[in-house]
Amino acid sequence: MDTFALIVTIGVALGFTYTNGFHDSANAIATSVSTRALTPRAALAMAAVMNLAGAFLGSGVAKTVSEGLIETPEGSSGMAILFAALVGAITWNLITWYFGLPSSSSHALFGGMVGAALAGGTKVYWDGVMEKVVIPMFVSPLVGLVAGYLVMTAILWIFRRANPHKAKRGFRIAQTVSAAGMALGHGLQDAQKTMGIVVMALVIADVEDYGDPIPVWVKIACAVMLSLGTYAGGWRIMRTLGRKIIELDPPQGFAAETTGASIMFTTAYLFKAPVSTTHVITSAIMGVGATKRVKAVRWGIAKNIVLGWFITMPAAAVVAAAGYGIVWLAFL
């Protein structure tokens, strides 16, 4: 039963990574596709490859997820907690994908972990949740908004005397690099979150010891599933990010992607904080758009997106807690 529970939990974790890939593929490439810097299929293929590469660039975020948010639960109830956390996260991912809302897969996972842990009587490290999840959730969009505005302002000033057509053509080419950077950052951040969950499952099952390095097969499995999900594409969310917030041109797309990628690498390496790629790129697009004129950004749509961000953790927590209750009644 223990081995079966471990296999099922790892399978569901990889399923979450797949939904994360198609849910968040828009983060990396929506701007490039909407400015026609890349064709959709070329953009998805590039994002899938870079996500795969990004997954192997570090392990700080995985360590935060596996050790810094909840106490590692034990036994069959511990495996049930992880299973319920993942079900809560997947459910919220699918709901927001259906409505084309770019919510955070990361915060769906963290909400699921907290909700399932509370339902299962496992200790939640509230200091860790506050420091590594809640504070970055508020700070990273603000940084993205301001940094996006400043980067775009700098580009406008530097290229103020450039031929507009030549400049746009140059930025269209440059966007292939900035989109690749976004996809690399997405792999660095999001594949590691699932690695952290799989490592917790292995510790619960006594296959790994607490603090052991992440097994290579876990890295490969998480990276491949994230890449496959990315290649499947999240067209609904891509339309929201690429067109509905603001109509982007290549310089704006480049500015937003460069801003987003920079924030993701900084938070992963310096703070080991699992930030949301969705929050970062969406806020960067808003900041970039505001340089045109504040009213150029469709703030009504932006407001709905931000509202979705705040609902994500509690909603996933409630679903995960209910999921744990069902598992407990049925199997424990």
Side-chain angles (χ1 to χ4, degrees), residues 18 56 58 143 207 219 224 230 282 324-325:
Y18 184 84
F56 291 93
V143 172
V207 176
K219 289 187 177 184
V224 168
T230 299
T282 309
Y324 178 80

Side-chain angles (χ1 to χ4, degrees), residues 184-202:
L184 200 65
H186 181 242
L188 172 65
Q189 280 277 353
D190 284 32
Q192 282 192 50
K193 289 158 192 167
T194 310
M195 289 177 205
I197 293 290
V198 174
V199 166
M200 281 184 87
L202 293 172

Side-chain angles (χ1 to χ4, degrees), residues 76-222:
S76 54
S77 66
M79 206 64 82
I81 286 169
L82 288 192
F83 176 82
L86 290 161
V87 168
I90 290 171
T91 303
W92 187 249
N93 269 359
L94 293 176
I95 290 168
T96 50
W97 166 80
Y98 181 79
F99 289 105
L101 193 68
S103 76
S104 167
S105 296
S106 310
H107 290 92
L109 178 61
F110 304 145
M113 287 174 72
V114 170
L118 290 173
T122 290
K123 184 180 178 182
V124 176
Y125 298 134
W126 291 110
D127 287 350
V129 171
M130 184 63 66
E131 184 186 331
K132 298 292 186 183
V133 178
V134 177
I135 290 173
M137 183 172 83
F138 284 96
V139 173
S140 62
L142 289 173
V143 172
L145 189 74
V146 174
Y149 184 88
L150 293 175
V151 169
M152 190 62 216
T153 302
I155 286 171
L156 289 170
W157 188 82
I158 292 165
F159 292 92
R160 65 192 183 282
R161 293 193 179 90
N163 179 301
H165 294 296
K166 279 186 179 176
K168 280 189 179 180
R169 195 161 59 241
F171 276 107
R172 198 168 270 134
I173 295 164
Q175 263 199 281
T176 58
V177 178
S178 58
M182 269 298 297
L184 200 65
H186 181 242
L188 172 65
Q189 280 277 353
D190 284 32
Q192 282 192 50
K193 289 158 192 167
T194 310
M195 289 177 205
I197 293 290
V198 174
V199 166
M200 281 184 87
L202 293 172
V203 170
I204 291 168
D206 286 330
V207 176
E208 288 272 308
D209 289 326
Y210 194 76
D212 279 357
I214 302 166
V216 174
W217 70 265
V218 173
K219 289 187 177 184
I220 292 170
C222 293

Side-chain angles (χ1 to χ4, degrees), residues 8-18 86 90 194 197-198 222 225:
V8 169
T9 303
I10 291 173
V12 175
L14 295 176
F16 166 76
T17 309
Y18 184 84
L86 290 161
I90 290 171
T194 310
I197 293 290
V198 174
C222 293
M225 289 304 287

